[in-house]
Amino acid sequence: MSNETAETHTGSDIWADFREGYVPRDELDIHPSLTLHTDQAEEIDPITHEVLRHRLYSINEEHGQTLENVSGSPVAYYAQDFNPTITAEDGEVIFQGPYIQFFSPIAELQVKWILENRSENPGIEPGDVFLSNDPWIGATHQPDVHFIAPVFHDDELFCWVVNTLHQYDIGGINPGSFCPGAEDVFHESSPMPPIKIVEGGELREDLRQLYLRQSRLPQMVGLDFNAQIAGVNVARNRLREVIEEYDAATVKGVMHQVLDDAESKFAQKLEKIPDGTWRARSYMDGAKTGDSDIYVGEVQLTKEGDTLTFTNEGTEANQGAMNLTYSGFRTGIMSVVNPLMMYDAMWVAGGALRHIEIETEPGTFTHATWPAAVSTGGQIGIEFVIALVNDVVARMLASSPEYKRDLISGTHESSGAVAQAGIDQWGNEFGTMNLDCMGLGGVGASPHKDGIDTGGVYWAPKAPIPNMEYNEQDYPILYLYRDEVEDSGGAGEYRGGAGMHYCWKPHKTSQIGNVLAGVGGAIPLSRGISGYPGAPIRPRVSRDSDVDERFARREIPARLDDLDGDLEILPTKSEDVQGPTDVWEVRTAGSPGYGDPLERDPERVAEDVRRGLVSREAATDVYGVELAGAGTDVTVRELATEEHRAELRERRLANSVIPAEVA
Amino acid sequence: MGYLCNVDTGGTHTDAVVIDENGDVTEAKAPSTPDDFARGFFNSLEVAADKKGLGLGDLLSESELVSHGTTVGTNAIIEGEGTRSALLTTRGAEDVIFIMRAATGRSKGLPVEDVLRYQESRKPDPIVPKERVHGIDERVDCMGDAVVEFNEEQARAVAARLAEQGVDAVAIAFLWSFLNEDHERRMAEIVEEELDDVFVTRSSDLIPKWGEYERTTATAINAYIGPTSADYIQRIDEQLSGYGYDGTLLVMQSGGGVMSAADAVREPIRTIDSGPAGGMIGCRYLASELGHDAVIAADMGGTSFDIGLLTGGEPLTTPTNVINQYEYMMRTIDTESIGSGGGSIASVDTESGRLQVGPRSAGADPGPACYDQGGTAATVTDADLLLGFLDPEDFLGGRMTIDDRPARDALSAVADDLGMSTVEAASGVVEVANAKMADMIRQRTVNKGYDPRQFTLYAYGGAGPLHVPMLARQLDIDTVVVPGGSTASVWSAVGVSSSDILHRREVSNIMTAPFDPDAVTAQFEELESAVVADLRAEGFDDDEVTINRYADVRYQAQVHQLSVPVPAGALTGEDMQTVVDRFERQYEERYGEGAGYSESGFELVTTRCDAYGETTKPSRSADQLSGQPEPRRTDEVYWPTVEGYRETARYHGDDLGEGAVIDGPAVITMEHTTVAIPPTDVCEVDDRNNYVIIIGGQQ
């Protein structure tokens, strides 16, 4: 009998997975020695449901709190670069925490792959924990390390708890493990497919060392390791307590009801959205450091009945260091669908995923095949996909009178993070990622409200940026300014969110090594809906500037252009050594507006001018608003505005041509 | 001793509580008067005086202490009705209060459901409009060195501009000013020279701590509410003197303790969210009497459920507080609130058919359906009535009649949607409300490394003594205390009346281990001499003063800071090691085994002194009664905890005194609240009139 079943179990084709990315089939091939717990109570009274739903959600919150508490590393804490997840026995995502959104839907792939390929050898047993960071199974890039733990009831696999936490450094040619100059994955940290790091409650010390040995900062990663183990243990214990208190079938019944409720909410929305196909295209600026070409990427969304199908047809081949694997593309979809369509279902991703099909082309830079370099996937590829998916989902919602109000015109137009290293002002070695990159105008406008100025990234609902004083204490930098950027929020009847400048010089050190990994510097990633796009990222440096002389004259320059130095705009993938009088400035992206700027309430335009978020020129030229007064005392000239807006409309008519006639 | 008077201003009512030397409590209510809260203040005292057969002047001239919990500052922020204020920052940091540390600005302090709903998400209106935020050319670095000297001419030009702008309050918050306050001080002098009659507050004086966003918001908020609050406090203080009160008005602080009117005028920010702090201080006082080390304080009123924790007999505090999504530095007693109170509305989700309770509330107007004031939505109070807990004949001491017909109508609509009987639905409403409260207690304890089983639960607020005892079993807690019996409904006021005067000073000055004991001692001594001088000036003798030292420590390059106690006197190297050991132990307790990172070294971030000046405490005692009390009658009450009716004895608080023992299931009706003793539990009245419920106490 055991021989026979052993022959019938093959799992998935792991070498195909490692090459093209794991795409789970509808029926998983799980070794018969492992029994999944499927017994669920059908009749659960609504009160028990509500009580248990809250309880399960709070268990997941406690899991997240444990990660935050035990880790305590700035990357994990300030960027809240982690997320806890509870999945059903077969991997469907039930609860995800309010942290980095693209970590949770990806957990499903890790769980399914483990069920298929680890259920026989080494086996899945109570007390086990698996560790994985393999982007070809489920990770946007290698630094996102997943800890995946089965929860058993009696001898049956009841459900899974998973957490994912971004490690500051896990190896590869650049400190920080973003390697924008990588030729292929062998320049980067090694992908680890799921390994059983804890066996029946016993930590495998050999494997722990193998893992920590990859990092430049093994102690910091070791602390995160402890946090991740503590997190899954806490969640697992709490779930066992709940199962004991309410019995397994009831708890499982509620889990499935939560999924079913989310599914039916999603399906009901789809009923009120017309069928159709929506397309988005954007351009990747440079495949790696030193490359100035642009590369086309596309996303198509077809809505037919109760199914959404996403494809990436028309996307160029994977190359350089800009690539994202299948799992990243898939999780990018949920990072958009959750906030735009699942806000009334607590972002229960599994419910929506039952109605989502993905048909991507392997070998493209948004579905990369091994051995393409993918370590920037979590910063570059994922942003690229999220922006395009936002475009198509927002357009789809715009076609539905019922759900048009829910659309967000777009996310931040581009992104980029600066990894910094050197000797700090206290004489010690340092390495960090400057988390000011999270200070974006990442929530675009909606049909009823403006986007959020410097509201942060939209797939991380609560992530703070560090105080300037925190960064100046811990790293050898001195800020000249950090401010909201004029005209960076896309124009529209409702304006997009504004981005932020952060500008610094090395302080009490001789130099800082900066590695920038970004996307969308040349062309905004998102078109928005009928409004204008926001401003994209713009990294600049003023070399050999007169900053010290200015300081000596008791002046703090408020703009980089005010400095006397050699001004240079940097590509979004670059490496640089910053000398003592080289001043760096990064402009983070804004997001698109919604609707016609000529329809914007002129009073709000005047207010934006007073706040320094819209320039006088843009107020007149783009919004058609004529202002009187100067500086912060401007007021609207109503008649002049009406006239100017009429004139602009006429000019538009005169300039408009039908493309067919041009031909 | 004379009377202890406390006035607590709320959104709709102003409550006065007068405690006499025997510990007898008189309560009075008057409508709040938002156009001038001072009127409501004196009206409520007048009602109280009247109840005692006194005139207002008689009451106040015989009062030993008059204390006050004010919401004037809080209201000004929530309603956006503060003063015309300005903010001066280091040039380059003008946008700190607009950027709000990015996503934190749109999510801080909000329930997760709101955080996830981007369609409605936004940052709050600015505390200070951009046109009144000005950058000054000056710069200090992380070592306290002046990198850019203070630009006197530019600063004076800005001050002139402020005069043109007609501002009446100025906040000054420069980068790193807590290490080097010279530039801020000079700026304040210039502002005072250039502007007449202006309220000036600077961050290096108000809250000299590391982290510019939370320090700047604190300073800006203090300026924003400064002039209005100052005017209000001064007026009340003066009128009190006019009535013959010869002390100073004491104002409740959110950090615990009260402060003199003069301090409240300078630093009104300390009054924000001081409401829950009063109850917590009352609990601290009670815990020391009862010898309880670890307490979960649970306050359930009409619209919200607030909890806070005491460990080692002291309330937990947090270094920052949040108002209107703005996080600001001010050490605050750590309480958390959810919208779960007697007025919370029960509804059934039309799509999923699930029962939801709260966070919407029927409030005081129209109130629960059973108030029969036009409310039609089913609330928790309606469910309490239908299940048989509330006595319709004797509600709020007979001052209010409640009607079970509208309650039944409202709940039967919920029941129909759920396909249940009305009483099952009512039970469900209570169960869901209780479960949410139990979840929150779990989150505040278990999630933070505290084991609820080691805590005693204190239940107060109007609805607390009814609901909270039912939570205990779910949390494996073995004792529930209803403090002071009927007084539980005004426990916050009792707490304010029992608060000591608190002077708290703290300063960041980041030092790396090994810490120099002499330097640390010098820093503490500087703080101490300041707070002791403050208390002496207020008339306290040395034996009435208690000083506690704390240090905020972190692992280098790690983010979590913990506050640990520091020994008194001249510190030695050994003492410094004790501080590090305490930090490491507390870190493990709080964040779990293996969370520490001692290889990275330690940093002492902030030193703090809390100095208390002892005030008169209210005495509280139980009535002496002979023999055990008899229930007034027996009712059928449906207990959600056992999902069924039980014959339940109904007692009245007036019949109970020291030594009374009551077996559950029982309900005790009191003038301002109802105590529910679940089946198999037992309640005893102690010598201070506390109702102590032992869970599973029946043999």
Side-chain angles (χ1 to χ4, degrees):
Chain A
M1 162 98 186
S2 65
N3 274 346
E4 208 177 279
T5 53
E7 279 166 28
T8 59
H9 170 72
T10 49
S12 68
D13 182 345
I14 58 164
W15 291 104
D17 297 343
F18 288 164
R19 202 185 132 67
E20 296 201 342
Y22 171 59
V23 182
R25 295 157 293 187
D26 290 342
E27 285 289 316
L28 300 180
D29 184 5
I30 304 169
H31 192 265
S33 64
L34 178 69
T35 313
L36 303 189
H37 175 278
T38 53
D39 178 27
Q40 49 171 303
E42 296 299 330
E43 291 290 314
I44 296 171
D45 71 82
I47 289 138
T48 306
H49 170 93
E50 189 65 6
V51 168
L52 272 175
R53 187 178 69 91
H54 272 279
R55 184 79 167 271
L56 293 170
Y57 195 87
S58 72
I59 288 171
N60 200 46
E61 282 189 329
E62 183 182 354
H63 187 171
Q65 189 92 50
T66 307
L67 293 172
E68 192 168 327
N69 287 346
V70 182
S71 163
S73 76
V75 174
Y77 186 75
Y78 293 131
Q80 293 195 333
D81 211 342
F82 58 82
N83 215 19
T85 310
I86 298 177
T87 83
E89 69 281 358
D90 61 357
E92 270 195 298
V93 174
I94 305 171
F95 288 116
Q96 56 187 65
Y99 306 100
I100 298 285
Q101 288 308 301
F102 49 71
F103 289 165
S104 285
I106 231 167
E108 177 179 352
L109 299 177
Q110 290 282 0
V111 168
K112 287 185 168 170
W113 197 90
I114 291 170
L115 281 167
E116 293 209 82
N117 302 304
R118 296 292 184 251
S119 50
E120 180 178 11
N121 179 355
I124 301 170
E125 309 282 346
D128 287 351
V129 182
F130 293 86
L131 178 157
S132 168
N133 71 342
D134 192 329
W136 280 277
I137 292 168
T140 60
H141 61 166
Q142 297 92 322
D144 295 343
V145 181
H146 300 253
F147 280 58
I148 307 134
V151 181
F152 276 82
H153 174 65
D154 296 334
D155 296 331
E156 296 180 338
L157 202 175
F158 185 83
C159 69
W160 297 79
V161 292
V162 183
N163 66 57
T164 315
L165 199 155
H166 181 133
Q167 308 297 326
Y168 161 65
D169 186 282
I170 195 82
I173 51 174
N174 295 112
S177 299
F178 285 104
C179 310
E183 296 287 339
D184 58 31
V185 71
F186 297 101
H187 281 180
E188 305 176 334
S189 56
S190 300
M192 263 182 255
I195 53 171
K196 198 192 273 193
I197 191 86
V198 179
E199 264 183 28
E202 282 292 314
L203 178 66
R204 283 282 306 266
E205 194 54 46
D206 52 347
L207 294 181
R208 191 177 90 99
Q209 288 165 14
L210 171 75
Y211 168 67
L212 299 182
R213 195 81 178 92
Q214 313 293 315
S215 178
R216 288 174 178 80
L217 291 171
Q219 275 167 340
M220 196 186 257
V221 174
L223 209 56
D224 285 347
F225 184 98
N226 294 350
Q228 292 189 270
I229 295 275
V232 290
N233 282 341
V234 160
R236 190 147 60 176
N237 290 340
R238 297 285 172 258
L239 280 165
R240 285 204 200 103
E241 286 165 18
V242 175
I243 292 167
E244 205 169 297
E245 199 178 325
Y246 284 86
D247 88 65
T250 305
V251 177
K252 185 53 74 64
V254 169
M255 286 179 162
H256 283 280
Q257 281 178 347
V258 166
L259 278 166
D260 294 346
D261 285 358
E263 180 190 5
S264 74
K265 280 201 160 121
F266 188 65
Q268 279 168 14
K269 282 188 183 168
L270 293 184
E271 272 174 27
K272 293 187 176 145
I273 294 171
D275 288 353
T277 297
W278 294 267
R279 298 167 202 282
R281 172 188 292 164
S282 197
Y283 304 90
M284 178 71 83
D285 50 342
K288 60 187 297 240
T289 308
D291 173 27
S292 56
D293 283 346
I294 62 166
Y295 302 84
V296 177
E298 295 200 5
V299 167
Q300 298 84 26
L301 161 62
T302 298
K303 188 257 161 187
E304 198 175 347
D306 65 356
T307 304
L308 302 183
T309 305
F310 290 88
T311 64
N312 72 342
E313 211 180 299
T315 300
E316 290 196 42
N318 51 243
Q319 55 201 298
M322 64 177 167
N323 312 299
L324 184 70
T325 57
Y326 168 82
S327 66
F329 187 91
R330 184 174 186 276
T331 204
I333 293 170
M334 284 318 299
S335 303
V336 176
V337 168
N338 268 338
L340 268 61
M341 300 183 73
M342 301 293 282
Y343 55 82
D344 50 356
M346 295 299 281
W347 295 11
V348 175
L353 276 164
R354 291 175 180 175
H355 293 268
I356 291 175
E357 304 284 338
I358 299 160
E359 294 168 7
T360 45
E361 213 34 60
T364 53
F365 75 80
T366 55
H367 181 163
T369 47
W370 182 86
V374 294
S375 72
T376 66
Q379 179 68 47
I380 292 178
I382 189 74
E383 302 271 12
F384 190 86
V385 167
I386 286 174
L388 291 183
V389 171
N390 191 124
D391 255 16
V392 292
V393 172
R395 275 157 213 285
M396 177 183 77
L397 290 174
S399 70
S400 161
E402 279 88 349
Y403 295 110
K404 184 173 172 178
R405 189 179 187 278
D406 291 347
L407 72 84
I408 294 167
S409 60
T411 175
H412 43 285
E413 297 295 0
S414 43
S415 79
V418 186
Q420 304 188 292
I423 305 294
D424 70 20
Q425 66 272 45
W426 316 100
N428 306 315
E429 275 183 49
F430 83 99
T432 187
M433 186 169 100
N434 191 321
L435 294 165
D436 287 16
C437 62
M438 303 293 274
L440 303 142
V443 184
S446 291
H448 61 287
K449 77 170 184 64
D450 286 354
I452 305 176
D453 301 322
T454 54
V457 295
Y458 103 22
W459 34 260
K462 302 198 292 186
I465 55 172
N467 274 307
M468 293 188 277
E469 286 176 355
Y470 294 175
N471 281 346
E472 290 189 359
Q473 171 71 24
D474 292 348
Y475 314 114
I477 63 173
L478 188 100
Y479 283 91
L480 273 67
Y481 51 89
R482 203 199 242 174
D483 62 8
E484 292 186 325
V485 182
E486 198 172 68
D487 293 333
S488 60
E493 181 179 356
Y494 293 95
R495 184 174 51 72
M500 179 180 96
H501 282 133
Y502 54 109
C503 174
W504 74 93
K505 69 183 279 289
H507 184 60
K508 296 184 173 170
T509 189
S510 57
Q511 61 179 52
I512 298 174
N514 294 317
V515 177
L516 173 66
V519 58
I523 302 143
L525 292 182
S526 180
R527 285 182 292 168
I529 291 210
S530 72
Y532 284 46
I537 186 174
R538 186 187 62 185
R540 301 193 297 171
V541 58
S542 178
R543 294 198 195 281
D544 302 320
S545 75
D546 62 341
V547 61
D548 290 343
E549 292 82 2
R550 305 292 285 273
F551 279 8
R553 294 206 303 263
R554 298 178 306 157
E555 269 176 49
I556 298 178
R559 298 144 52 95
L560 197 65
D561 310 70
D562 294 348
L563 283 165
D564 190 3
D566 299 328
L567 201 60
E568 186 184 330
I569 296 184
L570 297 163
T572 56
K573 297 168 187 73
S574 48
E575 295 180 28
D576 182 57
V577 175
Q578 185 181 10
T581 56
D582 296 343
V583 180
W584 262 60
E585 177 204 69
V586 178
R587 177 180 76 195
T588 69
S591 47
Y594 180 89
D596 186 346
L598 297 185
E599 298 289 326
R600 185 166 178 79
D601 179 354
E603 281 305 328
R604 306 196 62 170
V605 176
E607 181 55 29
D608 284 346
V609 171
R610 287 192 277 270
R611 282 214 38 201
L613 293 170
V614 169
S615 64
R616 279 297 282 268
E617 296 74 23
T620 310
D621 299 347
V622 183
Y623 291 95
V625 175
E626 297 283 0
L627 297 167
T632 55
D633 293 329
V634 294
T635 51
V636 177
R637 294 169 57 207
E638 285 182 26
L639 273 180
T641 297
E642 262 175 51
E643 279 171 23
H644 185 46
R645 283 185 161 181
E647 188 188 316
L648 287 174
R649 285 196 177 92
E650 269 172 38
R651 206 183 302 164
R652 280 185 187 173
L653 273 175
N655 290 342
S656 68
V657 284
I658 297 167
E661 290 177 351
V662 177
Chain B
M1 87 177 228
Y3 299 111
L4 304 180
C5 299
N6 174 257
V7 179
D8 197 40
T9 306
T12 43
H13 289 107
T14 301
D15 295 320
V17 173
V18 177
I19 305 174
D20 70 15
E21 47 209 26
N22 302 319
D24 284 340
V25 175
T26 306
E27 289 168 57
K29 265 183 200 303
S32 289
T33 47
D35 57 315
D36 175 13
F37 282 110
R39 237 177 36 246
F41 180 101
F42 287 99
N43 288 345
S44 70
L45 278 176
E46 200 160 3
V47 177
D50 198 46
K51 275 192 171 181
K52 298 189 81 72
L54 298 170
L56 185 54
D58 302 331
L59 175 73
L60 287 172
S61 56
E62 285 171 43
S63 289
E64 173 157 350
L65 271 181
V66 179
S67 55
H68 182 32
T70 172
T71 51
V72 166
T74 311
N75 279 2
I77 302 225
I78 304 280
E79 308 291 332
E81 287 171 357
T83 194
R84 192 172 170 80
S85 57
L87 170 66
L88 306 182
T89 71
T90 300
R91 187 190 291 281
E94 294 94 329
D95 281 0
V96 161
I97 60 162
F98 303 105
I99 295 172
M100 298 180 74
R101 296 186 65 189
T104 191
R106 66 174 147 99
S107 61
K108 202 76 193 177
L110 297 178
V112 68
E113 291 84 353
D114 294 354
V115 172
L116 299 188
R117 199 176 271 262
Y118 289 170
Q119 286 75 5
E120 308 304 331
S121 173
R122 59 191 79 220
K123 286 186 179 175
D125 289 338
I127 309 170
V128 182
K130 186 70 178 267
E131 60 264 31
R132 296 203 297 268
V133 179
H134 302 278
I136 304 295
D137 282 318
E138 67 81 35
R139 187 63 146 91
V140 172
D141 74 2
C142 66
M143 297 177 184
D145 298 338
V147 178
V148 177
E149 294 298 333
F150 183 70
N151 190 325
E152 185 97 14
E153 305 81 65
Q154 189 248 344
R156 201 167 284 278
V158 166
R161 173 85 184 119
L162 294 180
E164 272 170 38
Q165 288 181 322
V167 303
D168 49 17
V170 178
I172 304 169
F174 292 167
L175 293 175
W176 297 105
S177 59
F178 57 94
L179 290 185
N180 178 344
E181 61 176 11
D182 295 351
H183 296 177
E184 274 196 8
R185 266 181 183 282
R186 185 66 198 122
M187 188 72 235
E189 286 165 11
I190 292 174
V191 169
E192 276 163 353
E193 283 163 23
E194 297 285 330
L195 281 83
D196 297 329
D197 194 24
V198 64
F199 182 98
V200 180
T201 180
R202 60 182 169 87
S203 76
S204 49
D205 175 54
L206 182 70
I207 187 76
K209 289 179 69 179
W210 182 40
E212 78 276 1
Y213 169 63
E214 297 81 359
R215 190 174 71 245
T216 303
T217 48
T219 315
I221 288 171
N222 200 50
Y224 183 65
I225 65 175
T228 328
S229 303
D231 173 62
Y232 168 76
I233 300 282
Q234 272 163 343
R235 251 180 320 125
I236 288 183
D237 201 32
E238 282 160 19
Q239 286 185 53
L240 283 172
S241 306
Y243 281 112
Y245 172 58
D246 62 4
T248 175
L249 172 69
L250 296 178
V251 182
M252 191 65 204
Q253 312 183 41
S254 56
V258 288
M259 60 183 161
S260 67
D263 284 344
V265 162
R266 240 171 13 98
E267 299 183 348
I269 192 170
R270 293 184 189 272
T271 66
I272 293 176
D273 277 347
S274 58
M280 291 295 293
I281 293 300
C283 291
R284 171 179 183 252
Y285 173 54
L286 183 65
S288 72
E289 281 184 351
L290 299 180
H292 290 150
D293 224 29
V295 172
I296 299 166
D299 178 355
M300 184 177 177
T303 54
S304 71
F305 175 71
D306 296 349
I307 73 156
L309 260 52
L310 279 82
T311 63
E314 289 294 323
L316 289 185
T317 58
T318 65
T320 62
N321 190 33
V322 178
I323 186 161
N324 205 18
Q325 294 168 238
Y326 283 100
E327 184 169 16
Y328 66 91
M329 274 174 195
M330 195 50 67
R331 192 160 279 277
T332 300
I333 291 191
D334 190 7
T335 58
E336 195 169 341
S337 185
I338 51 169
S340 187
S344 293
I345 291 173
S347 62
V348 179
D349 184 87
T350 46
E351 279 174 32
S352 64
R354 313 274 180 229
L355 174 65
Q356 283 161 354
V357 181
R360 276 194 312 133
S361 169
D365 186 21
C370 64
Y371 285 14
D372 207 13
Q373 295 171 348
T376 54
T379 65
V380 172
T381 299
D382 294 312
D384 291 339
L385 175 65
L386 238 59
L387 295 173
F389 288 106
L390 302 180
D391 186 350
E393 309 299 315
D394 187 7
F395 188 64
L396 290 181
R399 278 176 289 119
M400 171 139 204
T401 53
I402 48 175
D403 191 346
D404 82 340
R405 182 144 9 150
R408 189 171 297 280
D409 290 347
L411 275 159
S412 69
V414 172
D416 289 348
D417 290 342
L418 291 171
M420 290 181 161
S421 74
T422 307
V423 75
E424 281 170 346
S427 172
V429 169
V430 171
E431 255 186 272
V432 169
N434 287 356
K436 282 170 85 169
M437 295 189 274
D439 278 345
M440 175 165 152
I441 293 177
R442 267 189 219 100
Q443 282 170 22
R444 296 290 295 183
T445 50
V446 177
N447 292 18
K448 305 215 161 159
Y450 300 108
D451 184 346
R453 290 170 298 191
Q454 293 165 359
F455 284 72
T456 303
L457 194 50
Y458 287 8
Y460 53 99
L466 199 168
H467 287 267
V468 173
M470 290 191 254
L471 309 181
R473 194 167 261 111
Q474 292 183 45
L475 297 160
D476 282 329
I477 289 175
D478 58 18
T479 308
V480 179
V481 176
V482 177
S486 186
T487 315
S489 67
V490 288
W491 189 245
S492 297
V494 175
V496 179
S497 297
S498 61
S499 292
D500 291 325
I501 291 206
L502 167 63
H503 285 276
R504 170 173 285 148
R505 293 227 181 180
E506 46 192 330
V507 63
S508 292
N509 183 6
I510 302 167
M511 297 183 239
T512 310
F515 307 123
D516 173 6
D518 296 336
V520 179
T521 305
Q523 201 159 310
F524 275 116
E525 283 174 349
E526 196 182 326
L527 294 172
E528 275 162 6
S529 61
V531 288
V532 167
D534 289 340
L535 283 168
R536 283 207 185 116
E538 285 168 351
F540 288 96
D541 296 331
D542 286 357
D543 61 346
E544 294 167 325
V545 171
T546 315
I547 299 178
N548 298 321
R549 291 175 173 181
Y550 300 89
D552 293 355
V553 182
R554 69 163 186 164
Y555 290 110
Q556 212 166 357
Q558 291 284 294
V559 294
H560 301 301
Q561 294 178 29
L562 285 178
S563 227
V564 296
V566 176
L571 298 166
T572 61
E574 216 171 293
D575 290 330
M576 297 323 304
Q577 190 53 45
T578 307
V579 168
V580 168
D581 293 345
R582 279 179 184 163
F583 167 74
E584 291 228 87
R585 204 168 52 239
Q586 207 173 316
Y587 203 93
E588 288 242 316
E589 278 169 16
R590 179 84 190 265
Y591 298 129
E593 218 174 303
Y597 190 30
S598 48
E599 297 89 334
S600 73
F602 303 90
E603 278 179 357
L604 197 165
V605 179
T606 301
T607 46
R608 163 162 66 101
C609 283
D610 291 354
Y612 291 94
E614 200 182 322
T615 60
T616 309
K617 299 289 175 291
S619 69
R620 289 176 304 108
S621 58
D623 292 334
Q624 300 295 317
L625 295 171
S626 55
Q628 285 298 322
E630 289 297 320
R632 295 219 173 158
R633 61 170 195 268
T634 304
D635 288 334
E636 283 285 310
V637 172
Y638 190 101
W639 289 84
T641 44
V642 293
E643 292 184 7
Y645 284 103
R646 292 288 184 276
E647 289 258 304
T648 301
R650 184 179 296 278
Y651 292 84
H652 196 283
D654 290 350
D655 306 339
L656 272 59
E658 180 181 347
V661 178
I662 295 165
D663 287 338
V667 173
I668 306 166
T669 303
M670 299 189 175
E671 192 181 344
H672 300 287
T673 187
T674 300
V675 184
I677 301 151
T680 75
D681 303 338
V682 63
C683 173
E684 291 181 37
V685 181
D686 75 6
D687 59 350
R688 291 187 173 87
N689 210 34
N690 301 307
Y691 286 53
V692 181
I693 302 170
I694 309 296
I695 304 302
Q698 258 174 274
Q699 297 309 309

